[in-house]
Amino acid sequence: MSKAAVIWLTIAAYAVFIVAVGLISSRHSKSMGQFTVGGRSAGAWVSALSYGTAYFSAVMFIGYAGTTGWRYGIWAVLPGLGNAIFGSLLAWLVLAGRTRRVTRRMKIKSMPQFFDSRFHSRPMKLFSAALIFIFLLPYSASVYKGLTSVCAVLLNVDEQVCMVVIALASAAVVVLGGYIATLKADFVQGLVMFVGVAALIVAVIRCGQVGGLAAGLEAITQKTAELKLGASDHIALWATVLMTSFGTWGLPQMIHKYYGIRDDREVRRGTVISTLFSLVIAGGGYFIGSLSRLFFSELPSPPAGGAGHPDYLIPNMLDQAGLPIVLVGVVLVLLIAASVSTLSSITITASSTLTMDLLRERFFPHLSSTGTARVTRGLCALFVVLSYFVANTRTPILDMMSYSWGILSGCFLAPYALSLYWKGINRAGAWAGMAAGFFTAAPPVVCKLFFPQAAVPFFGKVADMGPHFACAAMLLSLLFCILFSGAARMGGWKSSEANPVFYEETAEEMPAV
């Protein structure tokens, strides 16, 4: 059997699995609670793998791992380690348990509802809903671009065809089955990713270009020294580490994974599973990317021709590494699985938030739970279509993702995380933190759209500095939340009122979802 036939059969088997999961789960996702949080009964393995597969997609494997490896050599492993330690282990330790308890007790199904419950602010709820839908679009689009670059190189398939197929697979899971379908699919997809990445690491290390672990490390260390990285390079590297690690703390689709966990015991188990998964997937992905200069002396060009581009480093590495045919098929499936999982999480979060917290709140207050679920399914389909069009722009994968993460994490991380632990944060502080995060993270997006040549001395083009501005946004948002909360309290502002009910611990009962 030919290489192409084996690869297509592997992908076809995966596609059948995805559609079957969506159809089976559609019978259990009639109400809005079932569609968005799945009855709040998820176990540790399902929750942890769902978190991991939403975290890591073709964006990480193709966009970040390739670009970071090309720019920083062996230092590119740092984002992978940061993702495991800060983005998984610390995030679960600090956020998961408290988020699960608060959202269950207050019957919260989305981040805008979280803010409304804590700060009693309908405008904040509407603002959050609109922001989530708008700025998850570029993140979703970056996933499309990452996966299509792989398919174009390894399968010689037109990128437009790839995007359409990915959109249909994602829509099949989300529109049919909602949260329950994504959990079931994520569990299997997570196992595929774990086994596939482990096998891929071994295969790449053994290929001729690397020549084994010891030889490969020695060679890439020498290549890294030849890059002569300066202060601006190391600042950019650590900005990437911090953004991709702590940025997840404020992303709605990641926080959403904590809502449906069954109990605290599952949280503790999920913390361990999520960390190990992230260590293998992120650590392995970035390690493979760090070896890119052992394969190429200059950036490879897209299959259709044109200037060399970092988005095509990993696909061409896999093509030249001489991987076994079956492993190539597994690699493609793991990338598709990771990407569809991430797309599903993003789509459900964006669409359900817009429906529950903006459309129903503002325009259709009497819409039933079943009707809301139907509208959300329609918005899921619309979101997939819009993501397809955004993906057809020429913006690099890394840039699109950093714009999305910068705005959302800059706005939401500080008020959300502080609300879990600090009763002193108030509405004035939350608004100040959101505003500071938004306006600090916005310059790269504005420059990309309107002033592409705008530059900053020492660092370069503003449009390429998404991670820098994202880190600054998260820090300034935290400071503004604290300072303005204190100022409002001392000034006796109406927006400084406390909300003790939000922190009242009660004996847990299985709530109506």
Side-chain angles (χ1 to χ4, degrees), residues 161-233:
V161 175
C162 293
M163 287 189 189
V164 172
V165 172
I166 297 162
L168 292 175
S170 177
V173 177
V174 177
V175 176
L176 290 174
Y179 186 76
I180 296 174
T182 60
L183 284 181
K184 292 178 179 178
D186 289 348
F187 177 74
V188 177
Q189 290 173 158
L191 295 178
V192 171
M193 288 172 64
F194 192 91
V195 174
V197 171
L200 182 59
I201 293 170
V202 173
V204 170
I205 288 175
R206 296 179 61 184
C207 74
Q209 291 89 337
V210 178
L213 181 60
L217 288 175
E218 182 180 354
I220 196 57
T221 300
Q222 182 178 346
K223 291 282 187 181
T224 303
E226 294 172 1
L227 293 176
K228 300 185 184 304
L229 301 176
S232 62
D233 297 307

Side-chain angles (χ1 to χ4, degrees), residues 72 102 119 125 143 158 200 279 440 477:
Y72 309 113
V102 167
F119 301 111
K125 180 180 181 180
V143 179
D158 183 83
L200 182 59
L279 192 60
T440 304
S477 178

Side-chain angles (χ1 to χ4, degrees), residues 47 122 202 233 242 365 380 382 438 506:
S47 299
R122 187 183 180 193
V202 173
D233 297 307
L242 295 175
C380 285
L382 175 64
F438 180 86
T506 58

Side-chain angles (χ1 to χ4, degrees), residues 159-414:
E159 294 192 3
Q160 295 298 319
V161 175
C162 293
M163 287 189 189
V164 172
V165 172
I166 297 162
L168 292 175
S170 177
V173 177
V174 177
V175 176
L176 290 174
Y179 186 76
I180 296 174
T182 60
L183 284 181
K184 292 178 179 178
D186 289 348
F187 177 74
V188 177
Q189 290 173 158
L191 295 178
V192 171
M193 288 172 64
F194 192 91
V195 174
V197 171
L200 182 59
I201 293 170
V202 173
V204 170
I205 288 175
R206 296 179 61 184
C207 74
Q209 291 89 337
V210 178
L213 181 60
L217 288 175
E218 182 180 354
I220 196 57
T221 300
Q222 182 178 346
K223 291 282 187 181
T224 303
E226 294 172 1
L227 293 176
K228 300 185 184 304
L229 301 176
S232 62
D233 297 307
H234 286 286
I235 291 173
L237 172 61
W238 278 102
T240 300
V241 174
L242 295 175
M243 185 196 73
T244 59
S245 299
F246 286 101
T248 59
W249 291 40
L251 293 181
Q253 75 276 15
M254 302 301 296
I255 304 305
H256 187 261
K257 301 301 181 182
Y258 304 140
Y259 296 1
I261 304 176
R262 184 184 304 127
D263 53 41
D264 284 342
R265 178 174 175 270
E266 299 302 309
V267 170
R268 291 190 292 271
R269 294 175 60 205
T271 302
V272 176
I273 297 167
S274 175
T275 303
L276 293 176
F277 182 84
S278 298
L279 192 60
V280 172
I281 303 301
Y286 279 101
F287 175 70
I288 291 171
S290 73
L291 303 175
S292 59
R293 286 189 177 269
L294 301 184
F295 287 76
F296 308 104
S297 57
E298 58 184 24
L299 290 173
S301 300
H309 201 288
D311 288 352
Y312 293 88
L313 279 166
I314 300 297
N316 281 280
M317 281 179 63
L318 300 180
D319 190 44
Q320 294 186 15
L323 304 178
I325 296 175
V326 174
L327 182 56
V328 173
V330 171
V331 168
L332 276 169
V333 167
L334 81 85
L335 289 174
I336 293 172
S339 301
V340 170
S341 176
T342 302
L343 284 170
S344 301
S345 298
I346 294 171
T347 303
I348 285 180
T349 300
S351 304
S352 62
T353 296
L354 189 69
T355 305
M356 291 186 299
D357 305 320
L358 184 59
L359 295 182
R360 188 170 69 176
E361 176 82 11
R362 183 74 175 164
F363 303 106
F364 308 106
H366 303 298
L367 192 63
S368 67
S369 178
T370 302
T372 304
R374 291 194 186 116
V375 173
T376 302
R377 283 187 168 91
L379 281 177
C380 285
L382 175 64
F383 187 86
V384 169
V385 173
L386 292 175
S387 300
Y388 168 81
F389 285 110
V390 175
N392 277 283
T393 65
R394 295 185 177 181
T395 306
I397 294 170
L398 188 149
D399 289 346
M400 281 199 289
M401 182 177 171
S402 65
Y403 298 158
S404 177
W405 282 39
I407 293 287
L408 294 175
S409 296
C411 287
F412 299 146
L413 190 157

Side-chain angles (χ1 to χ4, degrees), residues 465-487:
M465 294 176 60
H468 301 70
F469 282 87
C471 292
M474 289 186 281
L475 179 60
L476 285 176
S477 178
L478 179 65
L479 292 176
F480 271 59
C481 279
I482 296 172
L483 292 175
F484 275 79
S485 291

Side-chain angles (χ1 to χ4, degrees), residues 114-135:
F114 180 94
F115 291 135
D116 188 32
S117 296
R118 174 61 184 82
F119 301 111
H120 299 308
S121 174
R122 187 183 180 193
M124 188 181 293
K125 180 180 181 180
L126 300 179
F127 170 77
S128 303
L131 204 69
I132 289 169
F133 190 86
I134 293 170
F135 284 98

